[in-house]
Amino acid sequence: MRNRIAILAVAAALPLTGVTALATAGPAAADPNSSVVTVSGSVDDCAGGASPVKVSMTAGSETRVDNRTDLANTNSYSVTFTNIPKNTMGTTAIAIVSCANGSSYTAKSFTIMRPNGTVTSMDRVLKAPG
């Protein structure tokens, strides 16, 4: 139920905010002069509707964890990487979402890139498989 409410809320907010590519599968971008990149967004429940309690995200050699106590209520996460290298291939990131009932899922991987003219934060929706 919480997912349906979140989807409706996002659908209602999209026209107001001008956000058109909330869940695109394309590369993420970061400031070419900074190795710090914050990745944040919404996170799906696990199978059976179990609430997420932890998001572990790995990019390159760094792993960051968001396990705030309100993660289950907000279904939103935020992690900050401090060593995203500047390169032309980008850095592959992968997230594992752990839920209250002991289950977990691995979200689809994505790429963090640092081309010219971009920012140091990005939104990424973590979708449960299926």
Side-chain angles (χ1 to χ4, degrees):
M1 180 66 175
R2 182 180 16 216
N3 280 342
R4 285 187 218 133
I5 293 170
I7 291 168
L8 291 173
V10 169
L14 285 177
L16 299 174
T17 62
V19 177
T20 58
L22 184 61
T24 60
D31 182 346
N33 299 313
S34 174
S35 61
V36 177
V37 178
T38 298
V39 181
S40 59
S42 64
V43 57
D44 279 356
D45 288 344
C46 287
S51 296
V53 293
K54 179 172 84 171
V55 173
S56 299
M57 190 174 292
T58 301
S61 61
E62 284 185 272
T63 298
R64 297 292 181 244
V65 176
D66 184 343
N67 58 358
R68 293 170 292 123
T69 56
D70 68 340
L71 185 64
N73 295 324
T74 64
N75 280 61
S76 64
Y77 73 95
S78 181
V79 294
T80 299
F81 294 99
T82 58
N83 195 26
I84 299 297
K86 182 197 276 190
N87 59 44
T88 58
M89 299 303 292
T91 301
T92 299
I94 188 124
I96 298 173
V97 178
S98 302
C99 291
N101 65 356
S103 66
S104 65
Y105 67 86
T106 302
K108 183 177 178 182
S109 63
F110 60 97
T111 303
I112 300 173
M113 297 182 72
R114 294 180 53 212
N116 289 329
T118 59
V119 296
T120 58
S121 63
M122 59 167 283
D123 290 329
R124 186 72 186 181
V125 176
L126 302 180
K127 306 288 278 171

